[in-house]
Amino acid sequence: MPSASASATTLPRIVLYHQTIHDPDGKFISVLPLITQPGVSVTHLIVAAIHINEDPDGLTLNDHPPSDPRYASLWAELRIAQASGISVIGMLGGAAKGSYTRLDQDQTTFDLYYAPVYDLIRARGLNGFDLDIEEEMSLGGVIRLIDRLRADFGPDFIITLAPVAAALLDSRRNLSGFDYEALEVMRGKQIAWYNAQFYCGWGDASNPVMYEMCVARGWVPEKVVVGVVTTPENGHGYVPLELLGLNLAALRRRFPTFGGVMGWEYFNGLPGGKGRPWEWAQRMTKVLRTVEADGQPEPESTPKMHSTNEVDPDSDGGKQAQVPEQFEYWSDDSYEDN
């Protein structure tokens, strides 16, 4: 198990999810340009989406077992990314339901379904795990999972969560079932940061206001990463890069330990699209890795691992956000079905 690289503590983070691994014609989508192209400084790559299925031994990465030969190039490139200083994280869950329902059972059932997750992390040398919980799960259930990951993989293992941004402001407006403020109070020391989804009606990245509200609520800036869709093709709420850049730069100026930006997802990000998907990361690097007027780089900060915010539920009322549509990525079988 390689330890997390220095990028685990680099702020602001530049995080990219990588779910669509092959295009509709079956061509492998390489992440090596994130290393070889100039002006790219990605800190974390999150491989998605890992699913726990009814068969405890039937763990899948999207539609196939992680050991399937079609993923051989993926795992090889991710090792290169790690050697280049990028932390590689596995994402569990997402829009497809069932993974967390199976883990949120009695201890025997939990152990049964957790075992292949443990094996995958060990086999692929992942630096961390991202819990994208978009189904009902109990607070006790997510705490048990976090505790087990920490016990099994040690203090350097990166544990993140991916709530919708609204869940950081109101426990009733989330997809996970539990209160994120309560989780932060109880296990904040074990959670590196939150990849908050500021899109699909659950957040707004077109201006800094919602992020500022999260900080005013008590969330420390280094633990909240602004999650955006990298193209309108990936979901509602896309913010044009020029406007997004202005807002991220404003947040970085206001909060010296600003947590960074997350993009969903890599393969078709603008402005380069499918032909040059790394250009989204280039743009984010230019915004978040600028040099101050005196010619000296701004100092990097080490994120605090917890905050001291209290549970403070809002009063009843308010409009419910619309549940986002399931994102239809190009699966590895899509080209075979057409």
Side-chain angles (χ1 to χ4, degrees):
M1 164 73 62
S3 63
S5 70
S7 65
T9 56
T10 299
L11 293 178
R13 306 175 189 92
I14 300 176
V15 183
L16 261 175
Y17 280 85
H18 182 39
Q19 177 167 33
T20 303
I21 298 165
H22 297 87
D23 70 13
D25 297 322
K27 181 182 178 182
F28 174 68
I29 298 169
S30 175
V31 297
L32 291 184
L34 295 173
I35 303 167
T36 60
Q37 290 293 322
V40 179
S41 182
V42 169
T43 58
H44 302 82
L45 266 176
I46 303 181
V47 183
I50 299 162
H51 303 299
I52 298 173
N53 298 298
E54 185 175 356
D55 176 4
D57 296 322
L59 194 76
T60 53
L61 173 60
N62 296 327
D63 302 316
H64 304 277
S67 59
D68 191 285
R70 72 186 62 222
Y71 295 135
S73 295
L74 169 70
W75 297 121
E77 288 195 356
L78 293 178
R79 288 291 192 180
I80 296 171
Q82 288 174 315
S84 302
I86 298 174
S87 293
V88 174
I89 297 173
M91 186 267 266
L92 178 68
K97 306 290 191 293
S99 295
Y100 293 100
T101 299
R102 295 180 176 100
L103 290 172
D104 198 19
Q105 304 296 325
D106 61 81
Q107 189 63 45
T108 299
T109 304
F110 172 86
D111 291 339
L112 184 66
Y113 283 110
Y114 174 81
V117 172
Y118 172 91
D119 291 341
L120 173 64
I121 294 171
R122 284 288 184 196
R124 302 303 172 182
L126 298 178
N127 298 119
F129 221 51
D130 180 57
L131 310 180
D132 186 359
I133 307 172
E134 299 188 18
E135 58 185 305
E136 290 287 321
M137 190 179 196
S138 68
L139 180 61
V142 69
I143 287 174
R144 177 175 59 181
L145 177 56
I146 290 170
D147 287 350
R148 186 63 170 270
L149 289 168
R150 178 63 66 225
D152 286 344
F153 300 107
D156 293 331
F157 191 72
I158 303 167
I159 299 174
T160 62
L161 285 92
V164 294
L168 301 181
L169 297 173
D170 187 339
S171 62
R172 299 163 300 173
R173 283 148 173 81
N174 79 74
L175 302 175
S176 308
F178 56 84
D179 186 333
Y180 277 91
E181 287 184 322
L183 177 63
E184 178 67 14
V185 168
M186 298 183 73
R187 287 299 184 275
K189 292 181 180 180
Q190 307 305 328
I191 300 168
W193 72 85
Y194 298 88
N195 293 301
Q197 300 178 40
F198 282 76
Y199 49 87
C200 285
W202 296 96
D204 182 6
S206 67
N207 61 69
V209 173
M210 191 167 187
Y211 191 95
E212 292 168 344
M213 290 173 63
C214 290
V215 175
R217 179 86 175 176
W219 296 96
V220 291
E222 55 263 45
K223 293 194 69 171
V224 182
V225 170
V226 176
V228 299
V229 288
T230 60
T231 167
E233 296 177 7
N234 294 351
H236 303 297
Y238 173 75
V239 179
L241 290 175
E242 292 76 10
L243 178 57
L244 178 62
L246 290 173
N247 293 327
L248 293 177
L251 289 173
R252 186 169 182 247
R253 287 192 299 270
R254 178 165 183 183
F255 304 110
T257 58
F258 172 54
V261 65
M262 169 273 278
W264 179 273
E265 62 168 310
Y266 167 65
F267 87 105
N268 61 347
L270 295 178
K274 297 180 179 70
R276 301 172 62 86
W278 59 86
E279 290 186 357
W280 182 88
Q282 278 181 325
R283 290 290 189 93
M284 295 302 101
T285 299
K286 185 175 182 180
V287 171
L288 297 178
R289 296 282 183 270
T290 55
V291 177
E292 291 190 307
D294 61 1
Q296 297 299 316
E298 292 187 9
E300 294 176 350
S301 304
T302 301
K304 301 174 184 176
M305 295 306 292
H306 69 286
S307 65
T308 56
N309 46 316
E310 299 178 355
V311 178
D312 182 22
D314 290 334
S315 58
D316 291 335
K319 185 177 180 180
Q320 290 282 357
Q322 182 179 358
V323 175
E325 299 175 359
Q326 181 169 332
F327 176 68
E328 296 186 1
Y329 60 91
W330 284 107
S331 75
D332 296 317
D333 271 347
S334 295
Y335 63 93
E336 296 172 356
D337 295 338
N338 292 338

